[in-house]
Amino acid sequence: MSRAFNFSAGPAVMPEEVLQQAAAEMLDWHGSGMSVMEMSHRGKEFISIYEQAESDLRELLAVPANFKILFMQGGGLAENAIVPMNLSQGGAVDFVLTGSWSQKSQKEAGKYATSRVAASAQADGFTSLPSPASWHIGADSRYVHICSNETIHGVEFHELPDLKALGCDAPLVVDFSSHVASRPVDWSRVGLAFGGAQKNLGPAGLTLVIVREDLIGRAMPHCPSAFDYKLVNDNQSMYNTPPTYSIYIAGLVFQWLKKHGGIAAMEQRNIAKAQLLYDCLDNSALYVNKVDKACRSRMNVPFFLLDESRNDAFLAGAKARGLLQLKGHKSVGGMRASIYNAMPLAGVQALVDYLREFEKTQA
Amino acid sequence: MSRAFNFSAGPAVMPEEVLQQAAAEMLDWHGSGMSVMEMSHRGKEFISIYEQAESDLRELLAVPANFKILFMQGGGLAENAIVPMNLSQGGAVDFVLTGSWSQKSQKEAGKYATSRVAASAQADGFTSLPSPASWHIGADSRYVHICSNETIHGVEFHELPDLKALGCDAPLVVDFSSHVASRPVDWSRVGLAFGGAQKNLGPAGLTLVIVREDLIGRAMPHCPSAFDYKLVNDNQSMYNTPPTYSIYIAGLVFQWLKKHGGIAAMEQRNIAKAQLLYDCLDNSALYVNKVDKACRSRMNVPFFLLDESRNDAFLAGAKARGLLQLKGHKSVGGMRASIYNAMPLAGVQALVDYLREFEKTQA
């Protein structure tokens, strides 16, 4: 098969230009005589790759100088433990439950802190966002955690909550794994943001943490050294050997983002792609997306066939057209199209064409 | 520069055939229309890669059926915390200190357990191995930890200790990061072995854990779910998203090992390579390796110039000949040649030729 359109939720589609460059440089990076995979993380070649990646990401996401960028390991799931070990000091923390990922985070934090639910959209099947005005945040809260894009339920915060306006001084922790770099971030509202790289940034196995520097240095005694933000930051993410090749690939993605207009241009593309797909679903008698229009994700679009007996036929037809990995997460069923930065408009158009064609054959 | 001889201690030289195959498959793996980097970890394509890698590694290392193979993240340094969180149950554990890595492991375990020193070679500058008969292992020991190859100090256990013969029923924990797959493992003496991949197996960011199944399921309450061996094992290393591309590359390395005669053939090659280099050092009036001949590492060969004022000239001359990353670890100084599986005999011969030539110019 030639290159397909790959709608996987993650690991996910990569920019083809990035893959081409990685292939071309695999045996000899910039005349060094080495693959990036073979470089000492402390050598000048890799340090230059690392510093360029960090600097490009800081520029792209407009990360203020008082935030530190850490490249870690373990994914968002490990951060569910690492964040409370670093920030909770064993006190109370508040979670807003908007889907599977915030639920998992809230549960894991209970190992280290008094893990409370400030609000939950579970009663409506995670199809809406509880209004910040309704959140019950304790006065003793060490932080408030949200998942700003729920990969499984397809729910996105289109504006980050302003905790200060709610009378809350606690920092906001944001799991932005599945929409990082798809839109700008209002850092004035954020204390810490984290995300696995395998959706919008690069290969699985790299975890991005961006943390306000005054929150660093509070780790609990049983926090593993490799995951203590202070040690990671003091050692430029090289307290343990970092996932060097994954950082290199992410760096190529950052350069691709810059070349194609940066985050503002990417956001406009993502709005157009999402609009095209949601319009198709909304104008159909066969497909349905159940999420409140005010908080539909631009990245992850779950949908259902009203006749679920047609699911296998739908997926088989899609695969035959090179439209891959459209099966929904096992916990919710149905279908899901993840349309990250690297998914071109042509891919979404091909999916929309197929959606219409398949619906006609069912009439 | 064309491909150089790269003596980095890790990340380290990879087999050129593996890099060539990875480059060729970068945009489209086996006609799937996807890079391995883009595959869902739960899709059939990646599952086939994963299962092949696990099965090849089990065959290569002759891992018995009652040991589980886990692919994790965080490197050996993270395992320094993850092992005691999983095995110590907060009790007492014993360490044999033979260099920097076992020292670090012993210190980190103190966060979770009563971390004791059963023996130490610190007094002689970590140039020898304390005889197992001299180890002081408590009757209440939850496990005994050794680093079977000290990457920095160049000290290797050429035989794993037989704890049962010492009257000790505790399991042996082995950090085999820097010589895994360079020689057979006597699993009858092992409870758990772990290692970062970035020396002999593949890219940084992948951690291998091989654990006897009766030791799984003892994690302490504050062990992060992502690092609880039971959850990792119950979910085929996919409790969190695994480092998929790194597992794929490691799988290619395993196939390369099988193609070139497996571990027994690799061991013979490694013996010959090490012999060539140590003989050169021992027959020189300029270079010295200080490690007891009975426990010199076949993988990491630290050496010093007796006239250290010549260090920079030595390194510059080496680099000019395409002999890279020979500088010793900053904590010990001098030089270090790491000659892992993927370093061909021709690379060691080129280094030996240069060592002799450089020595002549100093006469």
Side-chain angles (χ1 to χ4, degrees), chain B residues 199-213:
Chain B
K199 285 107 167 43
N200 247 345
L201 299 181
L206 172 64
T207 315
L208 175 65
V209 175
I210 303 181
V211 54
R212 217 174 58 208
E213 59 190 358

mmCIF file with all atom_site columns, all heavy atoms in Angstrom, chain B residues 199-213:
data_model
loop_
_atom_site.group_PDB
_atom_site.id
_atom_site.type_symbol
_atom_site.label_atom_id
_atom_site.label_alt_id
_atom_site.label_comp_id
_atom_site.label_asym_id
_atom_site.label_entity_id
_atom_site.label_seq_id
_atom_site.pdbx_PDB_ins_code
_atom_site.Cartn_x
_atom_site.Cartn_y
_atom_site.Cartn_z
_atom_site.occupancy
_atom_site.B_iso_or_equiv
_atom_site.pdbx_formal_charge
_atom_site.auth_seq_id
_atom_site.auth_comp_id
_atom_site.auth_asym_id
_atom_site.auth_atom_id
_atom_site.pdbx_PDB_model_num
ATOM 1   N N   . LYS B 1 199 ? 22.228 0.459   25.351 1.00 0.00 ? 199 LYS B N   1
ATOM 2   C CA  . LYS B 1 199 ? 23.598 0.004   25.181 1.00 0.00 ? 199 LYS B CA  1
ATOM 3   C C   . LYS B 1 199 ? 23.641 -1.135  24.155 1.00 0.00 ? 199 LYS B C   1
ATOM 4   O O   . LYS B 1 199 ? 24.289 -1.023  23.124 1.00 0.00 ? 199 LYS B O   1
ATOM 5   C CB  . LYS B 1 199 ? 24.206 -0.443  26.517 1.00 0.00 ? 199 LYS B CB  1
ATOM 6   C CG  . LYS B 1 199 ? 24.587 0.751   27.418 1.00 0.00 ? 199 LYS B CG  1
ATOM 7   C CD  . LYS B 1 199 ? 23.647 0.905   28.564 1.00 0.00 ? 199 LYS B CD  1
ATOM 8   C CE  . LYS B 1 199 ? 24.101 1.852   29.664 1.00 0.00 ? 199 LYS B CE  1
ATOM 9   N NZ  . LYS B 1 199 ? 24.701 3.102   29.368 1.00 0.00 ? 199 LYS B NZ  1
ATOM 10  N N   . ASN B 1 200 ? 22.933 -2.200  24.453 1.00 0.00 ? 200 ASN B N   1
ATOM 11  C CA  . ASN B 1 200 ? 23.045 -3.382  23.603 1.00 0.00 ? 200 ASN B CA  1
ATOM 12  C C   . ASN B 1 200 ? 21.751 -3.782  22.905 1.00 0.00 ? 200 ASN B C   1
ATOM 13  O O   . ASN B 1 200 ? 21.741 -4.744  22.143 1.00 0.00 ? 200 ASN B O   1
ATOM 14  C CB  . ASN B 1 200 ? 23.528 -4.570  24.448 1.00 0.00 ? 200 ASN B CB  1
ATOM 15  C CG  . ASN B 1 200 ? 24.911 -5.043  24.054 1.00 0.00 ? 200 ASN B CG  1
ATOM 16  O OD1 . ASN B 1 200 ? 25.408 -4.687  22.987 1.00 0.00 ? 200 ASN B OD1 1
ATOM 17  N ND2 . ASN B 1 200 ? 25.524 -5.835  24.886 1.00 0.00 ? 200 ASN B ND2 1
ATOM 18  N N   . LEU B 1 201 ? 20.651 -3.072  23.167 1.00 0.00 ? 201 LEU B N   1
ATOM 19  C CA  . LEU B 1 201 ? 19.361 -3.550  22.656 1.00 0.00 ? 201 LEU B CA  1
ATOM 20  C C   . LEU B 1 201 ? 18.666 -2.616  21.680 1.00 0.00 ? 201 LEU B C   1
ATOM 21  O O   . LEU B 1 201 ? 17.923 -3.075  20.817 1.00 0.00 ? 201 LEU B O   1
ATOM 22  C CB  . LEU B 1 201 ? 18.401 -3.802  23.831 1.00 0.00 ? 201 LEU B CB  1
ATOM 23  C CG  . LEU B 1 201 ? 18.810 -4.845  24.859 1.00 0.00 ? 201 LEU B CG  1
ATOM 24  C CD1 . LEU B 1 201 ? 17.734 -4.966  25.929 1.00 0.00 ? 201 LEU B CD1 1
ATOM 25  C CD2 . LEU B 1 201 ? 19.073 -6.197  24.213 1.00 0.00 ? 201 LEU B CD2 1
ATOM 26  N N   . GLY B 1 202 ? 18.856 -1.314  21.833 1.00 0.00 ? 202 GLY B N   1
ATOM 27  C CA  . GLY B 1 202 ? 18.100 -0.415  20.971 1.00 0.00 ? 202 GLY B CA  1
ATOM 28  C C   . GLY B 1 202 ? 18.161 1.017   21.451 1.00 0.00 ? 202 GLY B C   1
ATOM 29  O O   . GLY B 1 202 ? 19.139 1.417   22.086 1.00 0.00 ? 202 GLY B O   1
ATOM 30  N N   . PRO B 1 203 ? 17.132 1.791   21.175 1.00 0.00 ? 203 PRO B N   1
ATOM 31  C CA  . PRO B 1 203 ? 17.178 3.220   21.503 1.00 0.00 ? 203 PRO B CA  1
ATOM 32  C C   . PRO B 1 203 ? 16.929 3.489   22.989 1.00 0.00 ? 203 PRO B C   1
ATOM 33  O O   . PRO B 1 203 ? 16.259 2.719   23.673 1.00 0.00 ? 203 PRO B O   1
ATOM 34  C CB  . PRO B 1 203 ? 16.012 3.805   20.688 1.00 0.00 ? 203 PRO B CB  1
ATOM 35  C CG  . PRO B 1 203 ? 15.540 2.718   19.790 1.00 0.00 ? 203 PRO B CG  1
ATOM 36  C CD  . PRO B 1 203 ? 15.937 1.424   20.421 1.00 0.00 ? 203 PRO B CD  1
ATOM 37  N N   . ALA B 1 204 ? 17.453 4.590   23.473 1.00 0.00 ? 204 ALA B N   1
ATOM 38  C CA  . ALA B 1 204 ? 17.144 5.077   24.815 1.00 0.00 ? 204 ALA B CA  1
ATOM 39  C C   . ALA B 1 204 ? 15.643 5.308   24.926 1.00 0.00 ? 204 ALA B C   1
ATOM 40  O O   . ALA B 1 204 ? 15.002 5.740   23.969 1.00 0.00 ? 204 ALA B O   1
ATOM 41  C CB  . ALA B 1 204 ? 17.896 6.377   25.093 1.00 0.00 ? 204 ALA B CB  1
ATOM 42  N N   . GLY B 1 205 ? 15.108 5.037   26.114 1.00 0.00 ? 205 GLY B N   1
ATOM 43  C CA  . GLY B 1 205 ? 13.685 5.259   26.341 1.00 0.00 ? 205 GLY B CA  1
ATOM 44  C C   . GLY B 1 205 ? 12.916 3.955   26.468 1.00 0.00 ? 205 GLY B C   1
ATOM 45  O O   . GLY B 1 205 ? 11.739 3.966   26.811 1.00 0.00 ? 205 GLY B O   1
ATOM 46  N N   . LEU B 1 206 ? 13.597 2.854   26.211 1.00 0.00 ? 206 LEU B N   1
ATOM 47  C CA  . LEU B 1 206 ? 12.993 1.533   26.405 1.00 0.00 ? 206 LEU B CA  1
ATOM 48  C C   . LEU B 1 206 ? 13.745 0.854   27.544 1.00 0.00 ? 206 LEU B C   1
ATOM 49  O O   . LEU B 1 206 ? 14.978 0.888   27.584 1.00 0.00 ? 206 LEU B O   1
ATOM 50  C CB  . LEU B 1 206 ? 13.129 0.707   25.121 1.00 0.00 ? 206 LEU B CB  1
ATOM 51  C CG  . LEU B 1 206 ? 12.720 -0.769  25.196 1.00 0.00 ? 206 LEU B CG  1
ATOM 52  C CD1 . LEU B 1 206 ? 11.240 -0.931  25.507 1.00 0.00 ? 206 LEU B CD1 1
ATOM 53  C CD2 . LEU B 1 206 ? 13.064 -1.472  23.885 1.00 0.00 ? 206 LEU B CD2 1
ATOM 54  N N   . THR B 1 207 ? 13.003 0.268   28.467 1.00 0.00 ? 207 THR B N   1
ATOM 55  C CA  . THR B 1 207 ? 13.605 -0.434  29.598 1.00 0.00 ? 207 THR B CA  1
ATOM 56  C C   . THR B 1 207 ? 13.107 -1.868  29.603 1.00 0.00 ? 207 THR B C   1
ATOM 57  O O   . THR B 1 207 ? 11.897 -2.103  29.510 1.00 0.00 ? 207 THR B O   1
ATOM 58  C CB  . THR B 1 207 ? 13.214 0.226   30.933 1.00 0.00 ? 207 THR B CB  1
ATOM 59  O OG1 . THR B 1 207 ? 13.354 1.629   30.817 1.00 0.00 ? 207 THR B OG1 1
ATOM 60  C CG2 . THR B 1 207 ? 14.075 -0.296  32.066 1.00 0.00 ? 207 THR B CG2 1
ATOM 61  N N   . LEU B 1 208 ? 14.021 -2.784  29.711 1.00 0.00 ? 208 LEU B N   1
ATOM 62  C CA  . LEU B 1 208 ? 13.670 -4.202  29.750 1.00 0.00 ? 208 LEU B CA  1
ATOM 63  C C   . LEU B 1 208 ? 13.652 -4.685  31.198 1.00 0.00 ? 208 LEU B C   1
ATOM 64  O O   . LEU B 1 208 ? 14.593 -4.428  31.954 1.00 0.00 ? 208 LEU B O   1
ATOM 65  C CB  . LEU B 1 208 ? 14.721 -4.993  28.956 1.00 0.00 ? 208 LEU B CB  1
ATOM 66  C CG  . LEU B 1 208 ? 14.599 -6.526  28.984 1.00 0.00 ? 208 LEU B CG  1
ATOM 67  C CD1 . LEU B 1 208 ? 13.327 -6.980  28.298 1.00 0.00 ? 208 LEU B CD1 1
ATOM 68  C CD2 . LEU B 1 208 ? 15.834 -7.149  28.322 1.00 0.00 ? 208 LEU B CD2 1
ATOM 69  N N   . VAL B 1 209 ? 12.579 -5.374  31.573 1.00 0.00 ? 209 VAL B N   1
ATOM 70  C CA  . VAL B 1 209 ? 12.502 -6.022  32.883 1.00 0.00 ? 209 VAL B CA  1
ATOM 71  C C   . VAL B 1 209 ? 12.117 -7.475  32.646 1.00 0.00 ? 209 VAL B C   1
ATOM 72  O O   . VAL B 1 209 ? 11.143 -7.750  31.938 1.00 0.00 ? 209 VAL B O   1
ATOM 73  C CB  . VAL B 1 209 ? 11.449 -5.338  33.786 1.00 0.00 ? 209 VAL B CB  1
ATOM 74  C CG1 . VAL B 1 209 ? 11.301 -6.103  35.108 1.00 0.00 ? 209 VAL B CG1 1
ATOM 75  C CG2 . VAL B 1 209 ? 11.821 -3.889  34.054 1.00 0.00 ? 209 VAL B CG2 1
ATOM 76  N N   . ILE B 1 210 ? 12.897 -8.387  33.197 1.00 0.00 ? 210 ILE B N   1
ATOM 77  C CA  . ILE B 1 210 ? 12.565 -9.813  33.114 1.00 0.00 ? 210 ILE B CA  1
ATOM 78  C C   . ILE B 1 210 ? 12.449 -10.303 34.554 1.00 0.00 ? 210 ILE B C   1
ATOM 79  O O   . ILE B 1 210 ? 13.406 -10.227 35.323 1.00 0.00 ? 210 ILE B O   1
ATOM 80  C CB  . ILE B 1 210 ? 13.641 -10.597 32.335 1.00 0.00 ? 210 ILE B CB  1
ATOM 81  C CG1 . ILE B 1 210 ? 13.812 -9.990  30.923 1.00 0.00 ? 210 ILE B CG1 1
ATOM 82  C CG2 . ILE B 1 210 ? 13.273 -12.080 32.244 1.00 0.00 ? 210 ILE B CG2 1
ATOM 83  C CD1 . ILE B 1 210 ? 14.835 -10.710 30.038 1.00 0.00 ? 210 ILE B CD1 1
ATOM 84  N N   . VAL B 1 211 ? 11.253 -10.761 34.909 1.00 0.00 ? 211 VAL B N   1
ATOM 85  C CA  . VAL B 1 211 ? 10.974 -11.016 36.326 1.00 0.00 ? 211 VAL B CA  1
ATOM 86  C C   . VAL B 1 211 ? 10.291 -12.373 36.504 1.00 0.00 ? 211 VAL B C   1
ATOM 87  O O   . VAL B 1 211 ? 9.401  -12.743 35.722 1.00 0.00 ? 211 VAL B O   1
ATOM 88  C CB  . VAL B 1 211 ? 10.135 -9.848  36.920 1.00 0.00 ? 211 VAL B CB  1
ATOM 89  C CG1 . VAL B 1 211 ? 8.867  -9.580  36.127 1.00 0.00 ? 211 VAL B CG1 1
ATOM 90  C CG2 . VAL B 1 211 ? 9.823  -10.076 38.386 1.00 0.00 ? 211 VAL B CG2 1
ATOM 91  N N   . ARG B 1 212 ? 10.730 -13.084 37.532 1.00 0.00 ? 212 ARG B N   1
ATOM 92  C CA  . ARG B 1 212 ? 10.126 -14.387 37.861 1.00 0.00 ? 212 ARG B CA  1
ATOM 93  C C   . ARG B 1 212 ? 8.700  -14.141 38.317 1.00 0.00 ? 212 ARG B C   1
ATOM 94  O O   . ARG B 1 212 ? 8.447  -13.250 39.131 1.00 0.00 ? 212 ARG B O   1
ATOM 95  C CB  . ARG B 1 212 ? 10.952 -15.059 38.968 1.00 0.00 ? 212 ARG B CB  1
ATOM 96  C CG  . ARG B 1 212 ? 11.091 -16.556 38.842 1.00 0.00 ? 212 ARG B CG  1
ATOM 97  C CD  . ARG B 1 212 ? 12.038 -17.101 39.887 1.00 0.00 ? 212 ARG B CD  1
ATOM 98  N NE  . ARG B 1 212 ? 11.566 -16.768 41.223 1.00 0.00 ? 212 ARG B NE  1
ATOM 99  C CZ  . ARG B 1 212 ? 12.365 -16.622 42.287 1.00 0.00 ? 212 ARG B CZ  1
ATOM 100 N NH1 . ARG B 1 212 ? 13.684 -16.777 42.173 1.00 0.00 ? 212 ARG B NH1 1
ATOM 101 N NH2 . ARG B 1 212 ? 11.856 -16.314 43.465 1.00 0.00 ? 212 ARG B NH2 1
ATOM 102 N N   . GLU B 1 213 ? 7.770  -14.923 37.811 1.00 0.00 ? 213 GLU B N   1
ATOM 103 C CA  . GLU B 1 213 ? 6.363  -14.553 37.974 1.00 0.00 ? 213 GLU B CA  1
ATOM 104 C C   . GLU B 1 213 ? 5.907  -14.546 39.433 1.00 0.00 ? 213 GLU B C   1
ATOM 105 O O   . GLU B 1 213 ? 5.017  -13.781 39.787 1.00 0.00 ? 213 GLU B O   1
ATOM 106 C CB  . GLU B 1 213 ? 5.450  -15.427 37.100 1.00 0.00 ? 213 GLU B CB  1
ATOM 107 C CG  . GLU B 1 213 ? 5.541  -16.904 37.381 1.00 0.00 ? 213 GLU B CG  1
ATOM 108 C CD  . GLU B 1 213 ? 4.809  -17.730 36.312 1.00 0.00 ? 213 GLU B CD  1
ATOM 109 O OE1 . GLU B 1 213 ? 4.217  -17.144 35.382 1.00 0.00 ? 213 GLU B OE1 1
ATOM 110 O OE2 . GLU B 1 213 ? 4.844  -18.961 36.413 1.00 0.00 ? 213 GLU B OE2 1
#
